């Protein structure tokens, strides 16, 4: 039985008489009632001790792991990710932006998190034609230099861009899903060079994007990306799809799948 047992079950046991007194009592009883008579005495057996499982009937929900020291947990539409402490955070129009100290805009050095990235993009980037695996797929319009000296003006063109895959080209996130991890080295017409990093879940359609890498935070970008968890986000989408289907308005494509087999690595 779950719950804490009632106190009524724990009556104090009666004090046992001494051996000599018990013997005298037995003789007297026999004298009065004769052999084979029922003494009518009460049982002195102790009540049973409750098992450990019977002393607590509740089940505690698993506590969510806190962000490690130096990070702050964030959530955008169910996508959970950790932001470095000291970084500014902006959120709006389906984008969460983490800006390093000293940066006033979501540009150079920043990390963007975009749920439903391709669905919300007018050109379906970066999912369309697997742009995340192309030399010029680092941006929907890969024509403007993003080096520190040119990013704000955006008036310097691009000479060359080259895709590089790190290791097997995959990153495992906090929820166990694997994203496509792509990096690009881009050379501008003025010979400036900058780097772009992207983590993309094609099936879930979630993008983590380092717009233009600030090398001072080189290892931090990967740490932030690895902390991402889309479990709640996927659950919300699943519930919304079910609701749409129940209302007859499902379009069968809200899950973000592109039907491209091996590209859907977030199903692994």
């Amino acid at each position: 039985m779950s719950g804490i047992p009632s106190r009524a079950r724990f009556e104090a046991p009666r004090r046992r008489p001494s051996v000599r007194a018990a013997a005298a009592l037995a003789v007297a009883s026999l004298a009065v009632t004769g052999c084979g008579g029922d003494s009518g005495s009460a049982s002195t057996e102790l009540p049973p001790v409750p098992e450990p499982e019977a002393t607590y009937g509740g089940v505690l929900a698993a506590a969510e792991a806190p962000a490690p020291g130096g990070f702050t947990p964030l959530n955008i539409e169910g996508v959970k990710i950790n932001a470095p402490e000291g970084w500014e955070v902006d959120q709006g129009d389906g984008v969460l932006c983490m800006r390093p100290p000293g940066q006033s805009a979501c540009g150079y050095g920043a990390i963007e998190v975009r749920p439903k990235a391709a669905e919300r993009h007018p050109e379906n980037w970066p999912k369309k034609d697997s742009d995340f695996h192309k030399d010029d797929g680092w941006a929907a319009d890969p024509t403007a230099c993003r080096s520190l000296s040119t990013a704000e003006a955006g008036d310097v063109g691009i000479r060359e861009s080259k895709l590089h895959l790190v290791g097997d080209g995959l990153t495992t996130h906090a929820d166990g899903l694997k994203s496509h991890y792509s990096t690009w080295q881009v050379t501008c017409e003025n010979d400036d060079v900058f780097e772009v990093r992207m983590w993309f879940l094609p099936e879930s359609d979630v993008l983590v994007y380092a717009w233009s890498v600030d090398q001072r935070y080189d290892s931090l970008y990967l740490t932030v990306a690895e902390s991402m968890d889309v479990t709640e986000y996927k659950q919300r989408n699943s519930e919304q799809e079910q609701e749409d289907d129940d209302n007859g308005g499902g379009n069968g494509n809200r899950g973000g799948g592109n039907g491209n087999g091996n590209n859907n690595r977030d199903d692994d």
Side-chain angles (χ1 to χ4, degrees):
M1 182 178 67
S2 63
I4 299 176
S6 170
R7 290 185 179 180
R9 295 179 56 189
F10 294 95
E11 295 181 8
R14 299 178 182 179
R15 184 175 180 182
R16 295 175 181 268
S18 66
V19 175
R20 181 176 298 176
L25 181 61
V27 171
S29 177
L30 288 173
V32 173
T33 62
C35 295
D38 185 2
S39 65
S41 59
S43 173
T44 60
E45 183 180 355
L46 293 173
V49 177
E51 294 294 328
E53 292 80 4
T55 62
Y56 181 73
V59 178
L60 290 175
E64 185 172 322
F71 292 87
T72 301
L74 302 176
N75 188 318
I76 175 171
E77 300 179 16
V79 177
K80 299 177 182 179
I81 197 165
N82 295 335
E85 290 184 356
W87 286 40
E88 297 294 329
V89 177
D90 305 313
Q91 185 169 333
D93 297 327
V95 180
L96 184 152
C97 180
M98 312 173 201
R99 295 183 282 111
Q103 294 298 327
S104 59
C106 191
Y108 184 81
I111 303 173
E112 299 178 11
V113 183
R114 295 175 173 264
K116 300 180 182 178
E119 179 181 329
R120 288 169 167 159
H121 196 280
E123 298 179 20
N124 200 35
W125 178 84
K127 182 183 294 186
K128 183 181 179 181
D129 300 326
S130 298
D131 282 343
F132 52 89
H133 272 171
K134 293 183 176 181
D135 284 335
D136 62 352
W138 54 273
D141 181 17
T143 60
C145 184
R146 294 178 179 177
S147 66
L148 179 59
S149 62
T150 66
E152 186 172 352
D155 57 357
V156 177
I158 299 299
R159 178 183 300 160
E160 181 185 28
S161 58
K162 184 66 176 177
L163 170 69
H164 297 278
L165 299 181
V166 179
D168 60 0
L170 302 172
T171 291
T172 302
H173 299 273
D175 53 14
L177 295 182
K178 295 178 181 179
S179 70
H180 291 276
Y181 178 22
S182 304
T183 70
W184 289 266
Q185 182 171 296
V186 186
T187 304
C188 306
E189 290 179 344
N190 66 352
D191 293 329
D192 281 359
V193 177
F194 67 94
E195 181 183 354
V196 177
R197 300 183 188 179
M198 176 191 297
W199 293 263
F200 186 50
L201 297 167
E203 180 68 23
S204 300
D205 196 13
V206 177
L207 173 68
V208 178
Y209 189 53
W211 190 84
S212 182
V213 170
D214 185 334
Q215 293 297 335
R216 293 178 297 176
Y217 308 108
D218 180 54
S219 63
L220 196 56
Y221 293 102
L222 179 58
T223 301
V224 170
E226 288 176 332
S227 73
M228 184 173 66
D229 184 331
V230 300
T231 304
E232 180 184 333
Y233 163 82
K234 290 171 70 71
Q235 179 63 32
R236 288 186 187 184
N237 287 347
S238 177
E239 292 173 354
Q240 183 62 55
E241 289 176 22
Q242 184 61 53
E243 182 178 340
D244 290 345
D245 290 343
D246 292 343
N247 294 331
N251 60 17
N253 193 38
R254 293 184 60 87
N258 60 7
N260 197 14
N262 291 335
N263 284 338
N264 296 334
R265 299 309 298 264
D266 51 321
D267 284 342
D268 289 354

